[in-house]
Amino acid sequence: MGAEMILKGQVLSFERSPFDAGRPEDACRIAEAVALRDGQVAAVGPLAELRAQMPQAEVADHGARLILAGFVDAHVHYPQTAIIASWGKRLIDWLNSYTFPEEERFGDRAYADEIAARYLDLTAAHGTTTVCSYCTIHPESVDAFFTAAQARGQRVVAGKTCMDRNAPPGLRDTAQSAHDDSAALIARWHRVDRLEYAITPRFSPTSTPEQLEALGALWAEHPSCLMQTHLSEQTDEIEWVQELFPQARDYLDTYEEFGLLGARGLYGHAIHLTERERHRLREYGAALVHCPTSNTFIGSGLFDMAGLMAEGQRIGLATDTGGGSSFSMLRTMAAAYEVGQLRGTPLHAAQLLWLATQGSATALRMQDKIGNIAPGMEADLVVLDLASTPAIAQRSARAEDLWEAVFPTIMMGDDRAVAEVWIGGRRVQERR
Ligand SMILES: [Zn+2]
């Protein structure tokens, strides 16, 4: 394969957020072809024009397939790959029964390598090209994940999960070791190739105030890092936080007080927010990450997408593997649609596709590199077959426009809909 390539199909790009447009589809542009050169998008437009610009380029004709930016999954736990879809009751039961015993295995580098590779293979097969992952408390789990992503030329974010209380002894670090191990990992991996480090306190119930303070200080020393954690997922979790931090005004305050609220902060779930929390998150331009399959699977509640978007929050979309029940961003978009329906605010297909690409990239502060198809963007793409199963094909055949044609794939599609995946200008998945 040469360094130049033209893909012909229905090439979707976003001129602005479909949440800010009168009609969501007006924020989108459909072009005939996209040209790739040296790992980047070189041009988008009519095939004849791109051919004239790049006469040497090979042309792949994808017919009516939809070509868009690769999916960006803004909140995952790769170490939970092997325990996805485990039966459970409440969040804390689920952590104790499945998550913590599995995470204890990641001090073994060979096991971490095996699961990191399996996770990146599974997600690429579902069209996901960037993820932002929690690892475990073991630095080996971070080394394994970054090593696997680097070998694939993939843009990922990851960080060592920090916990110094309310976790089994084998999964506890200390305030000092969390700081020092994280600092060493930042020095080794942050902004090496396409890799970025996220400082990662799991959530305030599993960190002492001393640990949160140490990680806040670390973030202040490394402000180009992202910071990821969980916020207000379940009501009994919020009560627990109030018991553990009696002085805090609310859940977010347990982060804010220790320097863990900022523009490069990612707050997973954020379902049961107070007015003060919403105000502070917006003021800082922090990112909320919606994990709809996880929220329904664990029974956490219904994220207020419409209300939070209307007040100008920065929002990404994520699977939350393995609290979420799927590796697929298509399934995740379907769940976001269903959660919207249950709140009386259905989302348009253009809004769902934007959330899974440019929305999540914006949450990760990478919107100028990934999550859209435009000249100069990195060539991470997914090619979707809009007739991948007989059930989907018979519905999309009746569609009168692209949005009607793509919606059955959002609602019923899986990895069979993913015809091709490109990472950094290289084709990594192909389905004939
Ligand atoms: Zn999570």
Side-chain angles (χ1 to χ4, degrees):
M1 190 191 317
E4 292 188 347
M5 184 84 201
I6 295 173
L7 308 185
K8 179 183 173 294
Q10 302 194 75
V11 180
L12 170 66
S13 54
F14 298 100
E15 287 175 339
R16 60 187 190 279
S17 164
F19 287 92
D20 297 339
R23 294 187 329 142
E25 55 269 50
D26 291 344
C28 307
R29 192 170 76 128
I30 303 296
E32 191 185 9
V34 52
L36 312 180
R37 181 193 291 136
D38 300 332
Q40 292 194 330
V41 173
V44 184
L47 179 63
E49 220 171 82
L50 303 192
R51 264 195 167 133
Q53 283 175 31
M54 292 168 54
Q56 312 298 326
E58 184 189 334
V59 179
D61 188 350
H62 285 288
R65 286 172 172 175
L66 183 67
I67 302 172
L68 73 163
F71 298 131
V72 179
D73 190 341
H75 179 125
V76 312
H77 301 255
Y78 96 84
Q80 297 172 16
T81 297
I83 54 153
I84 193 166
S86 296
W87 187 88
K89 289 175 283 185
R90 299 296 284 169
L91 173 62
I92 197 65
D93 306 317
W94 201 84
L95 287 172
N96 287 326
S97 309
Y98 303 107
T99 306
F100 289 157
E102 178 66 9
E103 289 193 4
E104 288 192 56
R105 303 180 65 180
F106 282 73
D108 173 359
R109 174 65 193 268
Y111 186 67
D113 284 337
E114 179 192 333
I115 300 297
R118 187 191 302 172
Y119 174 78
L120 289 174
D121 287 347
L122 283 168
T123 47
H126 284 88
T128 299
T129 51
T130 288
V131 301
C132 179
S133 186
Y134 289 66
C135 300
T136 66
I137 69 145
H138 315 95
E140 294 88 342
S141 72
V142 182
D143 289 332
F145 191 69
F146 278 138
T147 301
Q150 188 179 37
R152 288 164 166 77
Q154 203 164 348
R155 178 169 287 285
V156 301
V157 185
K160 170 196 133 69
T161 297
C162 301
M163 297 196 280
D164 67 344
R165 66 168 162 178
N166 295 320
L171 282 183
R172 271 185 239 153
D173 50 16
T174 66
Q176 190 67 48
S177 74
H179 174 282
D180 296 351
D181 288 348
S182 301
L185 289 163
I186 290 168
R188 196 175 311 150
W189 294 111
H190 184 52
R191 301 212 162 153
V192 172
D193 296 339
R194 302 181 77 196
L195 314 175
E196 287 207 17
Y197 194 84
I199 294 165
T200 308
R202 182 179 221 112
F203 64 156
S204 43
T206 50
S207 288
T208 58
E210 293 71 30
Q211 182 169 78
L212 294 174
E213 190 173 16
L215 294 174
L218 182 67
W219 199 16
E221 287 163 36
H222 300 279
S224 68
C225 287
L226 292 159
M227 191 290 302
Q228 59 181 343
T229 191
H230 295 85
L231 177 67
S232 295
E233 180 175 0
Q234 296 208 323
T235 51
D236 39 9
E237 171 205 5
I238 295 168
E239 285 165 23
W240 190 25
V241 170
Q242 272 162 359
E243 284 164 28
L244 292 168
F245 297 86
Q247 287 92 347
R249 286 170 289 185
D250 46 46
Y251 196 154
L252 184 67
D253 201 30
T254 64
Y255 300 126
E256 189 174 348
E257 188 190 344
F258 298 110
L260 292 169
L261 174 58
R264 298 183 71 81
L266 297 155
Y267 302 86
H269 303 302
I271 299 170
H272 311 282
L273 298 177
T274 65
E275 271 309 309
R276 194 200 79 87
E277 289 174 311
R278 291 167 80 128
H279 176 75
R280 294 299 276 168
L281 288 161
R282 186 174 64 248
E283 200 168 68
Y284 276 84
L288 314 184
V289 186
H290 178 34
C291 308
T293 71
S294 173
N295 298 162
T296 55
F297 183 70
I298 308 182
S300 302
L302 304 175
F303 184 81
D304 182 16
M305 179 67 76
L308 291 162
M309 275 294 184
E311 66 190 38
Q313 302 279 4
R314 181 182 293 266
I315 302 174
L317 186 67
T319 60
D320 191 26
T321 305
S325 53
S326 173
F327 295 100
S328 168
M329 289 300 280
L330 290 172
R331 173 75 197 99
T332 303
M333 284 181 254
Y337 176 78
E338 289 162 351
V339 168
Q341 285 285 51
L342 287 168
R343 291 200 69 117
T345 51
L347 299 174
H348 188 273
Q351 294 172 324
L352 294 166
L353 292 168
W354 182 87
L355 281 168
T357 54
Q358 185 66 183
S360 285
T362 302
L364 299 179
R365 301 269 170 181
M366 295 176 176
Q367 68 276 7
D368 56 338
K369 298 186 178 71
I370 57 168
N372 204 357
I373 298 184
M377 302 283 285
E378 295 171 357
D380 292 348
L381 309 176
V382 59
V383 181
L384 292 180
D385 176 358
L386 302 184
S388 60
T389 69
I392 294 172
Q394 60 91 37
R395 177 61 189 91
S396 61
R398 283 228 184 154
E400 292 187 355
D401 63 22
L402 173 65
W403 306 110
E404 213 185 320
V406 74
F407 197 62
T409 291
I410 291 175
M411 293 309 298
M412 300 194 283
D414 54 28
D415 50 342
R416 289 170 290 179
V418 176
E420 278 188 10
V421 180
W422 292 72
I423 291 179
R426 261 185 345 112
R427 182 163 40 208
V428 298
Q429 290 278 336
E430 198 173 1
R431 183 181 289 274
R432 284 283 159 218

